[in-house]
Amino acid sequence: MVPMENYLILSGILFSLGVYGVLARRNAVLVLMSVELMLNAVSLNFVAFSAYLDPDKATGIIFAVFVIAVAAAEVGLALAIVIRLFRNRSTANVDEAATMRW
Amino acid sequence: MAEHAWILAAVPGIAFIVMAAFGRNLPRQGDWLAVLCATAIFALFFAVLANFLNLGGDSWPIQNSIEWTAIGDFELNMGIAVDPITMVMLAVITTVALMVNIFSVGYMKGEPRYWWYFAVLQLFVASMLMLVLADNLLLLYVAWELVGLSSFLLIGHYWERRSAVEAAKKAFITTRVGDVGLLIGIILFWEATGTFNILEITEHVKNGAIGDTRLFVTMMFILLGAMGKSAQLPFHVWLPDAMEGPTPVSALIHAATMVVAGVYLVARMLPVFELAGDALTVVMVVGLLTALFSGVVAFAQTDIKKVLAYSTVSQLGFMFVALGAGYASAGMFHLFTHAFFKALLFLGAGAVIIGTHHHQEMGQLGGLWRKMPITAATFLIGSLALAGLFPLAGFWSKDEILHAVEGQGTWAFFLLSIAAIMTAFYTARLFIRTFLGKPRDEEVASHTSEVSPVMTLPLVFLAFMSIVAGFFIFHDFGSALGFPGGFSEFVFLHYPSAFHVDWGLVGLSTVLFVVGTFGGAWLYWNGRLDRSTVLAEWQPKVYEMVQRKFYFDDLYQFLIDRVVLGFSYLVSWFDRFAVNDTGVDGSATMTGYTGFVLKHLQTGKVPNYAMAIAVGVVALTLISLAVGS
């Protein structure tokens, strides 16, 4: 059986990739996708812990399901915002959407 | 009836509410209502008195109280207690109030705020009656403040005049200093005994509920309140200034009733004072100093009302001396007789003011007896009673006080005799310079005429009382009227000391009267001023000191200007710079500046925020790892 650490290392790599994507990408859609990556890393953590540490109950799995549901709703909302942004400014670059400041 | 004596206070209380609300719209602005109310309580007083005497000494004091509120185990009861001291006060208040109300109809005719004057007069009478009827110190304190309030309102009746406003403020603030002492005393009593009821407090103290030192301190605080209200040294400064009020007010409040509240309080608490170490000696010393001091100051006053004011302060000193000697009866008796003749003198002064069209400086008066015979005759009776001519009212009460201090050492007796001579002296000066001799100001004299009957009738009645009030002291006279014995037995049932005429003392008093009166007559007879001028120029510094009232007002003014205002300047500086500029404005400026600097962090670029979050998370993780290991 694959040891639990492998899953955690995979989850860590995924999360770091997501953080990198969020910080490095300028396209709003790509930033969103990176966020999804981070969420999935977290879900993977939940499932791994659930399966290895407390296999009788499905607590972690239920959390993962919730995360997926919330992520789906969030993506729906975020994509709608990105579309409005693109319609207004003909760009999806997050650096250029900087009017909300002092 | 006696257990429902609270009605006496309720009637003028209701009259005040009615007159304050509708007085302006009533016919004649409601003065008839005031006189009606005063007559009603005068009649009710006799009903109470008759019932009180019928019930007899075994049932005294007659008490009637209701539970006002209860907090846990503590019950606060409010009610009345009627004993002979209360009856004496009721007699004085109802009689003088009736006379003053009638007199005011004439005196205040055509004056501004006529209706309001009468309304506040009723408020005063209601509060004063409440004060003397109260069975507990808390209710007494409420009434104590209410009489102070009515006094304030009436002194400042002519508030268009700046001096009246100043005098009203001065009276209120000066007595307030004493009132704070009274309140502290009441709280100390409550803390030690758990009750406000005067009789219960007396019982507790007799059983040793309060330690000696503590009791002495408590009584000093109570005395402070009494001294403030009764204008004893060094709180006397407000009373002469209070003469700014309408003259009938001076007669009622500043001669007969409110100023004797302090005497009443000490007489009421006398059983406690007796147990409080040297407290009574303090009372006596205060009284002696006041009697002598204001007797001297009265020499140099030229305003007839000011002379009477200082005379009142001096006579209040006499009462304190009697109380200090432990003779409540002598003090209360002087209070009783003094109320009549001093009210008479003040109303007489009011009649002079009206008769001469507002002249009250002795330098402009003189020879008034031809123009105002009734006023002059009644004023003469009042003066003689004040000076202590046998057998007028003032003679008997002053004799009682001299008798009371006989046992207190010769120095007190000697000083009080001096004060008695001074009384006769300044009274003679006042009467001679105002009514005898030739008019000094022809223009004033040509306008002078006798006042209307509505004003002379109270004078005549009070003159009658000034003659007979002294006879209440006699056993036979007292029992003929239904009183058990004379005044001393009636007022101080528990320490009966039957009155008997001490002819040696009578002789001495007469000598004092003659010396004082003839001294005054020798200096001022027939309008001459040369002898007194010589006297004044013989020692100009002494004369100036007396005329400036021993610099008391200057001293207080100095204290207020330098010490109080200096301190308040310091406080206002602290408030301005430390509290306002640094504390309030400072924190606001700081917040604004911080915002001004930190707003640059808000770039509007989402990746910057994300970076900040990421850096923050990493930093927190590293810190927690470092701390954890």
Side-chain angles (χ1 to χ4, degrees):
Chain A
M1 195 175 175
V2 187
M4 190 176 78
E5 284 76 14
N6 291 13
Y7 288 101
L8 297 187
I9 290 165
L10 175 63
S11 155
I13 293 170
L14 270 178
F15 190 84
S16 303
L17 283 173
V19 170
Y20 173 78
V22 168
L23 295 180
R25 292 291 141 190
R26 287 291 171 268
N27 190 309
V29 179
L30 291 179
V31 171
L32 261 181
M33 286 171 67
S34 307
V35 170
E36 289 303 311
L37 221 50
M38 287 160 72
L39 285 171
N40 284 335
V42 173
S43 299
L44 186 61
N45 251 357
F46 275 126
V47 176
F49 279 129
S50 179
Y52 282 86
L53 300 182
D54 195 8
D56 299 339
K57 292 177 191 156
T59 328
I61 296 166
I62 289 170
F63 264 103
V65 172
F66 270 106
V67 170
I68 291 165
V70 170
E74 178 229 312
V75 166
L77 194 65
L79 280 178
I81 293 171
V82 172
I83 289 167
R84 294 306 309 168
L85 183 68
F86 191 80
R87 284 264 171 87
N88 279 329
R89 302 185 162 242
S90 310
T91 172
N93 190 332
V94 287
D95 278 346
E96 286 175 34
T99 46
M100 295 280 280
R101 63 198 191 103
W102 59 274
Chain B
M1 187 60 211
E3 76 269 17
H4 291 301
W6 52 269
I7 293 171
L8 283 176
V11 171
I14 294 165
F16 163 68
I17 294 168
V18 171
M19 291 172 69
F22 309 112
R24 209 197 301 236
N25 306 323
L26 291 173
R28 289 187 56 87
Q29 298 196 24
D31 58 357
W32 53 274
L33 192 62
V35 174
L36 188 72
C37 164
T39 316
I41 54 170
F42 187 63
L44 277 171
F45 162 69
F46 283 103
V48 170
L49 179 66
N51 182 247
F52 181 77
L53 292 173
N54 271 338
L55 288 171
D58 298 331
S59 58
W60 299 345
I62 293 160
Q63 298 187 64
N64 184 8
S65 73
I66 53 162
E67 188 187 301
W68 185 262
T69 182
I71 305 161
D73 291 339
F74 174 68
E75 280 181 16
L76 182 58
N77 294 312
M78 291 282 173
I80 60 167
V82 185
D83 69 352
I85 298 181
T86 312
M87 290 314 290
V88 174
M89 294 300 291
L90 291 180
V92 168
I93 298 165
T94 52
T95 316
V96 179
L98 177 61
M99 292 306 130
V100 166
N101 267 302
I102 295 173
F103 189 88
S104 298
V105 173
Y107 185 88
M108 295 300 286
K109 193 173 168 190
E111 296 285 333
R113 297 176 294 279
Y114 187 73
W115 60 280
W116 176 241
Y117 168 84
F118 277 101
V120 178
L121 215 53
Q122 305 319 304
L123 172 67
F124 170 76
V125 174
S127 355
M128 191 66 211
L129 289 168
M130 193 162 105
L131 196 158
V132 299
L133 285 167
D135 73 340
N136 67 74
L137 288 173
L138 208 59
L139 187 59
L140 182 139
Y141 187 74
V142 172
W144 190 271
E145 293 300 340
L146 277 175
V147 290
L149 170 71
S150 357
S151 161
F152 168 79
L153 291 173
L154 287 168
I155 295 170
H157 185 71
Y158 301 118
W159 46 256
E160 295 90 345
R161 216 165 51 206
R162 183 158 178 78
S163 56
V165 177
E166 297 283 334
K169 269 197 299 188
K170 189 170 178 180
F172 197 71
I173 294 169
T174 313
T175 51
R176 177 131 288 275
V177 175
D179 293 352
V180 172
L182 176 61
L183 185 60
I184 295 173
I186 293 173
I187 293 169
L188 285 175
F189 265 136
W190 180 77
E191 201 200 357
T193 63
T195 175
F196 291 113
N197 189 294
I198 296 168
L199 289 165
E200 286 174 21
I201 287 175
T202 313
E203 281 307 307
H204 280 296
V205 173
K206 275 184 185 154
N207 297 333
I210 312 181
D212 284 349
T213 321
R214 207 190 149 107
L215 183 60
F216 180 74
V217 172
T218 310
M219 291 331 280
M220 285 303 105
F221 277 120
I222 299 276
L223 179 63
L224 212 58
M227 284 161 65
K229 216 44 142 192
S230 286
Q232 296 296 292
L233 225 58
F235 296 117
H236 65 281
V237 288
W238 67 270
L239 186 57
D241 286 27
M243 297 301 124
E244 287 289 339
T247 310
V249 167
S250 309
L252 177 62
I253 301 185
H254 306 122
T257 54
M258 188 190 83
V259 288
V260 299
V263 178
Y264 164 79
L265 181 66
V266 177
R268 166 70 71 224
M269 304 295 287
L270 200 65
V272 186
F273 269 102
E274 280 174 341
L275 298 169
D278 294 327
L280 279 181
T281 314
V282 177
V283 175
M284 185 147 112
V285 169
V286 165
L288 262 180
L289 287 177
T290 310
L292 284 168
F293 161 81
S294 27
V296 172
V297 174
F299 289 172
Q301 298 302 310
T302 52
D303 182 321
I304 51 176
K305 283 184 75 181
K306 286 274 165 72
V307 176
L308 289 175
Y310 276 105
S311 160
T312 306
V313 177
S314 175
Q315 298 305 309
L316 290 167
F318 273 80
M319 297 173 206
F320 268 72
V321 170
L323 295 171
Y327 282 73
S329 55
M332 291 303 292
F333 187 43
H334 197 53
L335 188 161
F336 181 69
T337 57
H338 173 261
F340 295 120
F341 58 70
K342 194 50 73 61
L344 166 63
L345 289 173
F346 266 112
L347 292 185
V352 168
I353 291 170
I354 291 296
T356 60
H357 298 284
H358 297 278
H359 284 91
Q360 54 191 81
E361 283 290 326
M362 283 195 283
Q364 295 173 313
L365 302 174
L368 288 182
W369 66 276
R370 277 182 202 283
K371 305 269 189 175
M372 309 178 73
I374 302 174
T375 308
T378 50
F379 204 93
L380 178 63
I381 292 171
S383 301
L384 293 174
L386 171 62
L389 174 69
F390 178 84
L392 298 182
F395 170 81
W396 298 108
S397 55
K398 207 169 291 181
D399 236 27
E400 267 300 277
I401 295 178
L402 284 172
H403 175 69
V405 294
E406 249 178 345
Q408 300 291 315
T410 42
W411 57 276
F413 189 78
F414 177 71
L415 291 176
L416 203 64
S417 305
I418 303 276
I421 293 178
M422 294 195 299
T423 310
F425 180 86
Y426 65 66
T427 314
R429 171 177 177 264
L430 173 65
F431 184 78
I432 292 168
R433 291 196 63 187
T434 311
F435 288 98
L436 301 185
K438 289 193 179 64
R440 260 176 291 275
D441 190 329
E442 283 302 333
E443 193 180 325
V444 173
S446 61
H447 293 146
T448 304
S449 57
E450 183 59 278
V451 290
S452 59
V454 75
M455 293 164 83
T456 50
L457 274 177
L459 291 179
V460 171
F461 179 81
L462 285 172
F464 171 72
M465 285 307 291
S466 302
I467 295 169
V468 301
F471 299 131
F472 282 96
I473 195 102
F474 289 107
H475 187 277
D476 293 341
F477 191 80
S479 25
L481 288 171
F483 293 89
F487 203 90
S488 45
E489 280 175 63
F490 179 62
V491 175
F492 226 12
L493 201 68
H494 302 293
Y495 305 85
S497 60
F499 176 78
H500 57 92
V501 183
D502 181 344
W503 288 107
L505 210 54
V506 170
L508 178 72
S509 298
T510 309
V511 170
L512 298 180
F513 167 77
V514 168
V515 169
T517 309
F518 279 80
W522 183 73
L523 278 175
Y524 298 104
W525 187 256
N526 219 2
R528 68 187 302 165
L529 286 171
D530 50 333
R531 284 173 178 154
S532 54
T533 315
V534 168
L535 201 63
E537 283 166 0
W538 173 53
Q539 285 287 1
K541 288 222 168 109
V542 175
Y543 179 71
E544 196 202 334
M545 186 166 81
V546 174
Q547 203 179 24
R548 298 282 295 273
K549 306 146 196 173
F550 289 83
Y551 304 111
F552 262 100
D553 285 304
D554 305 80
L555 175 69
Y556 288 157
Q557 196 62 50
F558 175 81
L559 284 178
I560 291 167
D561 285 351
R562 293 298 149 88
V563 180
V564 177
L565 288 186
F567 182 69
S568 52
Y569 181 79
L570 205 70
V571 171
S572 86
W573 180 87
F574 182 80
D575 181 57
R576 165 85 16 219
F577 290 98
V579 177
N580 188 59
D581 288 1
T582 312
V584 179
D585 286 1
S587 60
T589 313
M590 199 63 175
T591 312
Y593 180 73
T594 318
F596 179 78
V597 173
L598 292 181
K599 72 182 179 185
H600 297 286
L601 289 177
Q602 196 181 4
T603 56
K605 292 180 182 171
V606 183
N608 291 0
Y609 305 155
M611 180 61 93
I613 293 170
V615 170
V617 169
V618 171
L620 281 177
T621 313
L622 290 178
I623 288 169
S624 68
L625 282 177
V627 172
S629 62

